[in-house]
Amino acid sequence: MGGVLPTLLLILAGVLVGGAWSLHKQGAPRGAVVVTALLAALATVGGVLWLLPGEGA
């Protein structure tokens, strides 16, 4: 199960990036776009950091 969670996080990041882009193109409030983009960044960082080798791997 080691590779499932990071994969899901990276998929979620992709969906959130698409959502942020869509919100931006539709003229949504800036705050909504920024929050969605930040969540995408957090999901990306989490997925990538999870894949990095570390203690206990």
Side-chain angles (χ1 to χ4, degrees):
M1 173 136 174
V4 174
L5 189 58
T7 301
L8 291 176
L9 281 172
L10 292 172
I11 290 170
L12 175 63
V15 170
L16 287 169
V17 167
W21 182 253
S22 179
L23 286 170
H24 171 70
K25 296 299 274 184
Q26 293 176 28
R30 184 176 176 93
V33 177
V34 169
V35 167
T36 308
L38 286 175
L39 289 173
L42 284 174
T44 302
V45 169
V48 169
L49 288 178
W50 201 294
L51 289 172
L52 293 177
E55 293 182 31

